[in-house]
Amino acid sequence: MKKSALIFIVLLTSFAAFAQQKISGIVIDNKTKESLPFANIYISKTTGTITDAEGKFNLSLNKEITSIKVSYIGYETVTIPIDATVKYLKIQLVATQEALDAVVLYNKENPALQIMRDAIARKKDNDPERKLNSFKLNAYNKLLVTANPDSINGQIDSIYTKKDGELVFKEVDSSNFDFKKDITRSHIYMTEKVSEISYSSSKGKREKILATRMAGFKEPIYEVLGIKIQSFSFYNNKYELFGTSYPGPMAGNALSKYKYKILDTVSNNNRESYMIYYSPKKKGETSGLEGILYIDRESYALQKGIAEIKGVIDIKAVQNFDYNNTFQVWFPTDKEIQIRKGKTDDTVSLFGQAVRVSRSTQQDSTKTVNSNKQDVSDFIYLTSKTKNFDLAINEPVTIRGRGLAIEIEDQAHNRDEAYWNQFRTDSITKRGKETYVVLDSIIEKDGVEKDIYLARKLLKGYYPTKYIDLDLRYLVKYNNYEAFRLGLGGVTNANFSTKYRVNGYGVYGTRDQDFKFGVGAAARLDKRTQTWFGVSYTDDLVETGSSRFITDRRAFSLFEPRLFNIDLFYEIRRLTANIEHQITAKTQANLMLSKSNVESTYDYGFVNNGEIFNSYEITEATFSIQWNPFSEYMQTRHGRNEIKTGFPQFAFQATQSFDGFLGGDFNYTKFDARIVHEIRPIDKGVTSFLLKGGLGIGDIPISHLYHTSPNNPNKDVLLQRFSIAGRNSFETMYFNEFFSDKYAMFQAKHRFKPFKIGKSFRPELTLISRFAIGDAENIERHLGQEFNSLEHGFSESGFEINKLFAGFGLSFMYRYGAYHLPKFEDNLSFKFTYYFSLGF
């Protein structure tokens, strides 16, 4: 009996050991010794793997096999014997030139190009988002940051120093031992998400998050949920990985971006497909996509897509499709993405930013010796898996509103285990459950959630308290009229109410010794359309000639450069009522009615109908609309957030002033328009354009005319004009030099990639050119203030060298053209710049 038990244990142990057999290796050309990316490795007729972009592979064998087969188009297929002792294979394939010549001769060109032309041409017949009228599905996603405990040597490390040719024990390092113990118990991090994906040809695609859980957080970090980890489909013209958009390998212009090569033909769902390898035609500083497309031989639809990025980190994304016979379409069923530590120093882009390696100084092996050579960071990886299920095709789908990419149910973060178990396609393990327990405890103890909440508010310019967020914009500012402007403001937050808000501020000018204030209140009429009705009263100063779009989002900066030199303000006491409404998620509208009392702080009179007005009343109705067609938005229980800023962006505004209505003194009409555009190619600088204009008709006092953001102090000597450059202002145009009732301005900027001068010294060069043209009718009606029109066109060009030290840089601009001044130095602007950066 004991002997039988012993035999059983031995056999079981042998089987377990065999089941854990792992084989790694590389496939190369036997002559050139170059690796062969994405070669097929078959364990059986239906199972196997492919090599990665470097020709490397890993096999986990769960049953006994005696051989594997390796194939690669243009090479002889080989069979490699396998036994339990094999751990690593270096497989060399022999090219068969005859087979390659036959394929090329028959097609008269690279055959992969014609296959890709056909696949791209038939996208409208194969892409589910083009072919289908609608679809709806559920998706379960699990993201882990983890490591395989079996890969880690958990021995306690002994560190020795060399002294007189002998090793002398220095200390014990138990970090590997502790890490293996911890990683065996739980993952490093874990999140889960259940979504409902709806699509209709008329309203596009919408993700509704039904349940979400982030280890350690009672409420999710919504900005993280807004990150597009992986595109929904390889059919998209832009394929997105972790917030960075790459040219899609099946985009309309893909053949100009990628090289293609046939690797093999394989079978999937009893349908054959071409294996097409793609890689960038041009290698940039940042690693680009390369991978495999499995193209159906019958329909030229996509059966499977693989994308890899190799560099300081390695990224691999896989998406599988399944054939739906009823609707004759290959539909995405699941996708996975993995990130691991890379083996090269090549730059990789994450979230639109370059990730570069920074090598730490290694220990001198001639003086220090570690008994354990293993670096556990080599085994840590991130994996995100999404499984689609409950697919319904061409059935009625309801998507309320347009343009919203993600909608999060209010109770998504409060789902119980029973709810989660309805949707989990991958059961949660004991190790996964323990991850939530461990991180919930750690993050609560360290107050991480509160710190993140505080950081999120601070970046928007608020300091949160329980019910009121203090507005940091009003703390301290400076201008030439008030000198220091000190104050405090605040607005109620979601803890106070999600349906009502109250705001207010008070400021004091140290030079004019005057107190200014504003108060307001608003009520939300509809959550989905973010419709708010509000009233406000303001008693404050406004810059003469300034104009704003009332749909502009709140902007916060540490300081506003142009404010330092402004000295021409008018006092305004204004009562407003306004209604905000989201026509679509990408289209915001605002209608405002205001009654204002205006009084100049400078010598000024406006002649109208034979009367001189030193102070006056204005009654205005303003309608403004902002349209950002390429941005993406997310709706949370706290409101609507922009999760991806797209360009171009458009704004339009119409204003009508009424003479005699509610005491208004003037009648005029104003139209304003603005277009903002940015081009951000990977591996290159950023090119931005700003086109803005306004047209005023009627009796318009100087307070409501236009200036084009002048930013040059009225000083005689160049160095006396040294100040802070603005973002979109005319640096050589003197304050109060021009006012117009109609104008157009254009700005073009190009910011080059940072120069690699030192580890922490990476200045940025920006080229800038600006032009403005305008006119002002009946300048003689404006008494007490002398100014010119812009009828001949104003031009300036120059450059900035930014981030020379702690965010500071220098600006150099030159004024030329019709308004060029006789004295050379009067056409120059020399200032410093400041660009706040968090360092990532």
Side-chain angles (χ1 to χ4, degrees):
M1 180 67 183
K2 290 183 179 179
K3 184 178 180 181
S4 299
L6 181 60
I7 292 172
F8 175 77
I9 292 171
V10 171
L11 289 173
L12 186 62
T13 304
S14 300
F15 177 78
F18 180 78
Q20 295 297 319
Q21 183 184 7
K22 297 180 184 298
I23 301 174
S24 60
I26 187 170
V27 179
I28 62 174
D29 183 294
N30 77 316
K31 287 186 177 180
T32 66
K33 306 305 179 185
E34 292 182 357
S35 61
L36 299 178
F38 306 107
N40 279 306
I41 299 176
Y42 295 99
I43 298 173
S44 67
K45 289 184 178 180
T46 57
T47 60
T49 188
I50 61 174
T51 61
D52 64 14
E54 296 176 337
K56 299 176 182 178
F57 66 92
N58 290 284
L59 288 173
S60 295
L61 303 178
N62 296 318
K63 61 180 181 178
E64 183 176 1
I65 62 171
T66 58
S67 64
I68 60 172
K69 185 168 71 173
V70 183
S71 68
Y72 200 75
I73 196 166
Y75 289 81
E76 295 178 359
T77 299
V78 297
T79 300
I80 308 295
I82 297 294
D83 60 42
T85 64
V86 175
K87 300 298 181 184
Y88 183 83
L89 292 170
K90 185 175 183 180
I91 303 170
Q92 301 187 51
L93 299 186
V94 178
T96 54
Q97 190 62 43
E98 296 81 4
L100 279 177
D101 289 343
V103 172
V104 173
L105 179 64
Y106 179 76
N107 289 274
K108 297 183 180 180
E109 68 165 350
N110 176 1
L113 294 179
Q114 187 57 49
I115 294 171
M116 289 307 303
R117 286 193 195 100
D118 291 339
I120 293 170
R122 299 190 193 185
K123 281 205 301 182
K124 62 182 182 298
D125 299 320
N126 293 319
D127 181 0
E129 293 183 65
R130 296 189 186 189
K131 181 174 184 177
L132 304 176
N133 294 322
S134 67
F135 60 78
K136 189 175 183 178
L137 58 90
N138 289 326
Y140 170 73
N141 171 266
K142 181 192 291 183
L143 183 148
L144 297 173
V145 180
T146 188
N148 182 0
D150 296 335
S151 302
I152 300 168
N153 182 350
Q155 74 183 56
I156 295 178
D157 191 5
S158 297
I159 300 178
Y160 300 86
T161 57
K162 289 182 178 180
K163 188 175 182 180
D164 298 330
E166 296 183 359
L167 294 179
V168 178
F169 176 78
K170 180 181 179 182
E171 61 185 359
V172 171
D173 181 3
S174 62
S175 56
N176 277 32
F177 174 80
D178 293 336
F179 179 76
K180 179 165 184 173
K181 183 176 67 174
D182 291 340
I183 204 67
T184 302
R185 176 188 174 190
S186 66
H187 303 291
I188 299 172
Y189 197 72
M190 176 176 174
T191 71
E192 292 180 282
K193 182 177 71 172
V194 175
S195 300
E196 178 185 272
I197 310 293
S198 302
Y199 168 82
S200 74
S201 55
S202 60
K203 292 196 172 183
K205 189 164 73 273
R206 168 98 38 100
E207 177 184 7
K208 180 189 286 186
I209 298 179
L210 308 176
T212 177
R213 188 173 182 184
M214 293 185 179
F217 297 94
K218 295 176 182 177
E219 190 168 356
I221 304 173
Y222 292 108
E223 291 84 350
V224 173
L225 290 176
I227 296 172
K228 188 176 289 186
I229 295 178
Q230 187 178 1
S231 289
F232 179 77
S233 171
F234 269 87
Y235 282 109
N236 297 348
N237 284 333
K238 294 289 185 180
Y239 195 77
E240 196 154 346
L241 292 175
F242 279 93
T244 298
S245 294
Y246 297 88
M250 293 191 68
N253 64 344
L255 269 65
S256 65
K257 302 288 185 181
Y258 291 100
K259 298 180 292 184
Y260 296 91
K261 176 183 177 182
I262 296 180
L263 298 184
D264 211 337
T265 57
V266 295
S267 179
N268 182 20
N269 283 7
N270 296 319
R271 292 172 65 110
E272 287 191 340
S273 65
Y274 300 105
M275 279 183 67
I276 306 292
Y277 168 61
Y278 65 92
S279 61
K281 281 189 173 181
K282 296 181 180 179
K283 182 171 177 60
E285 181 183 336
T286 302
S287 298
L289 291 185
E290 60 179 310
I292 293 287
L293 300 174
Y294 292 75
I295 305 296
D296 186 73
R297 294 188 68 173
E298 182 179 332
S299 64
Y300 289 88
L302 190 61
Q303 294 185 4
K304 181 177 181 177
I306 300 173
E308 289 193 18
I309 298 172
K310 296 288 186 178
V312 61
I313 58 174
D314 292 348
I315 304 174
K316 181 177 181 179
V318 180
Q319 184 173 38
N320 293 300
F321 293 70
D322 202 3
Y323 188 68
N324 186 297
N325 195 55
T326 303
F327 296 95
Q328 297 183 342
V329 63
W330 287 87
F331 198 91
T333 56
D334 60 89
K335 57 186 178 181
E336 179 180 2
I337 188 168
Q338 281 195 6
I339 296 183
R340 295 177 181 271
K341 181 179 177 181
K343 298 188 174 51
T344 72
D345 292 351
D346 292 346
T347 302
V348 170
S349 181
L350 283 183
F351 313 116
Q353 302 294 324
V355 178
R356 298 176 176 88
V357 68
S358 178
R359 300 295 185 191
S360 58
T361 303
Q362 297 181 349
Q363 291 181 323
D364 186 352
S365 60
T366 63
K367 297 180 180 179
T368 306
V369 176
N370 294 61
S371 61
N372 187 356
K373 304 294 185 181
Q374 195 176 68
D375 184 353
V376 295
S377 66
D378 293 336
F379 302 95
I380 297 173
Y381 63 93
L382 179 149
T383 178
S384 175
K385 296 181 180 180
T386 301
K387 178 69 176 178
N388 299 333
F389 58 99
D390 293 342
L391 173 65
I393 293 178
N394 286 351
E395 295 182 4
V397 170
T398 301
I399 301 176
R400 295 183 61 187
R402 294 177 65 95
L404 193 64
I406 301 174
E407 181 180 6
I408 303 175
E409 290 201 346
D410 288 352
Q411 296 303 312
H413 62 291
N414 283 328
R415 302 300 189 188
D416 58 22
E417 199 66 16
Y419 186 92
W420 278 103
N421 288 333
Q422 295 179 64
F423 297 98
R424 282 185 175 125
T425 57
D426 182 11
S427 61
I428 188 169
T429 62
K430 180 180 178 181
R431 191 173 168 211
K433 292 177 181 178
E434 191 66 19
T435 305
Y436 285 128
V437 174
V438 171
L439 286 170
D440 287 353
S441 174
I442 292 174
I443 290 179
E444 183 176 4
K445 178 182 177 182
D446 294 343
V448 175
E449 193 164 17
K450 292 181 180 179
D451 291 342
I452 291 176
Y453 177 75
L454 174 61
R456 182 191 291 136
K457 289 287 186 177
L458 287 174
L459 287 174
K460 294 180 179 179
Y462 291 110
Y463 183 86
T465 64
K466 186 172 183 180
Y467 296 113
I468 297 175
D469 292 340
L470 301 179
D471 196 332
L472 303 180
R473 293 181 302 172
Y474 298 103
L475 284 180
V476 57
K477 289 185 179 179
Y478 183 89
N479 61 67
N480 269 344
Y481 182 81
E482 296 172 286
F484 285 101
R485 177 181 167 99
L486 311 174
L488 187 65
V491 60
T492 56
N493 55 37
N495 294 329
F496 173 82
S497 175
T498 57
K499 295 182 179 180
Y500 305 96
R501 67 180 179 225
V502 179
N503 64 283
Y505 73 91
V507 296
Y508 179 78
T510 59
R511 179 176 294 161
D512 68 340
Q513 298 183 348
D514 193 15
F515 178 76
K516 301 95 179 172
F517 70 95
V519 293
R524 191 182 69 195
L525 307 182
D526 186 271
K527 177 183 176 181
R528 183 172 294 276
T529 60
Q530 287 295 293
T531 304
W532 290 79
F533 174 76
V535 294
S536 65
Y537 179 78
T538 303
D539 185 347
D540 206 344
L541 296 173
V542 178
E543 180 191 359
T544 297
S546 62
S547 60
R548 70 182 185 93
F549 290 83
I550 61 176
T551 48
D552 281 351
R553 297 176 300 171
R554 167 193 168 84
F556 170 71
S557 59
L558 293 180
F559 59 85
E560 298 177 42
R562 284 194 67 256
L563 280 180
F564 279 69
N565 300 302
I566 300 173
D567 58 7
L568 212 62
F569 291 92
Y570 61 90
E571 294 180 353
I572 189 168
R573 292 182 294 278
R574 179 169 56 201
L575 178 65
T576 67
N578 75 293
I579 186 165
E580 305 171 22
H581 177 70
Q582 296 277 168
I583 299 174
T584 73
K586 302 183 179 186
T587 310
Q588 179 185 356
N590 198 327
L591 177 63
M592 182 175 73
L593 179 65
S594 65
K595 168 69 187 309
S596 305
N597 293 315
V598 177
E599 186 171 344
S600 298
T601 62
Y602 45 87
D603 181 24
Y604 176 70
F606 179 59
V607 179
N608 188 49
N609 294 327
E611 184 179 352
I612 299 176
F613 289 84
N614 303 109
S615 61
Y616 38 88
E617 297 186 3
I618 292 179
T619 303
E620 285 182 328
T622 303
F623 174 74
S624 186
I625 189 167
Q626 176 75 39
W627 182 42
N628 300 342
F630 301 101
S631 293
E632 294 183 2
Y633 297 86
M634 172 175 63
Q635 179 72 45
T636 75
R637 73 186 193 97
H638 298 289
R640 186 162 295 179
N641 299 324
E642 187 178 42
I643 58 177
K644 180 182 178 181
T645 302
F647 295 96
Q649 300 177 349
F650 306 89
F652 173 79
Q653 184 165 284
T655 302
Q656 179 64 52
S657 174
F658 303 96
D659 183 9
F661 181 61
L662 297 179
D665 290 319
F666 309 126
N667 185 81
Y668 59 77
T669 304
K670 295 174 71 176
F671 298 102
D672 298 88
R674 180 183 63 199
I675 301 174
V676 179
H677 187 49
E678 280 191 6
I679 302 172
R680 291 177 171 264
I682 298 174
D683 267 347
K684 297 177 182 175
V686 178
T687 304
S688 62
F689 303 97
L690 171 63
L691 178 62
K692 186 166 64 171
L695 171 64
I697 305 169
D699 305 318
I700 309 177
I702 194 173
S703 58
H704 289 65
L705 289 177
Y706 298 107
H707 65 49
T708 52
S709 296
N711 194 32
N712 206 12
N714 297 298
K715 304 290 185 180
D716 293 329
V717 181
L718 175 63
L719 289 181
Q720 291 178 339
R721 298 194 295 270
F722 185 82
S723 57
I724 308 169
R727 299 290 185 265
N728 302 310
S729 52
F730 281 81
E731 303 303 324
T732 61
M733 184 185 292
Y734 292 89
F735 279 95
N736 315 321
E737 184 179 2
F738 300 96
F739 288 98
S740 306
D741 53 27
K742 58 183 71 69
Y743 83 101
M745 68 85 65
F746 175 74
Q747 172 184 272
K749 286 186 178 183
H750 180 76
R751 187 179 79 231
F752 291 91
K753 293 185 297 183
F755 294 102
K756 299 178 182 180
I757 297 177
K759 182 178 179 181
S760 58
F761 184 51
R762 303 174 68 87
E764 295 176 353
L765 173 66
T766 301
L767 302 181
I768 305 170
S769 188
R770 300 185 180 99
F771 175 78
I773 191 168
D775 199 4
E777 296 184 358
N778 302 317
I779 293 180
E780 67 276 3
R781 298 177 65 184
H782 305 276
L783 306 180
Q785 294 295 316
E786 295 185 2
F787 59 87
N788 297 319
S789 72
L790 286 166
E791 60 182 329
H792 301 298
F794 185 98
S795 303
E796 70 173 22
S797 295
F799 61 92
E800 294 175 351
I801 304 177
N802 297 311
K803 300 181 181 179
L804 292 173
F805 175 74
F808 289 93
L810 294 172
S811 166
F812 303 86
M813 299 295 294
Y814 180 71
R815 169 175 175 162
Y816 57 94
Y819 293 103
H820 181 270
L821 299 173
K823 194 174 179 181
F824 176 75
E825 71 168 22
D826 290 343
N827 297 288
L828 293 177
S829 167
F830 172 49
K831 302 174 185 177
F832 73 81
T833 64
Y834 181 76
Y835 284 84
F836 176 67
S837 174
L838 293 175
F840 51 76

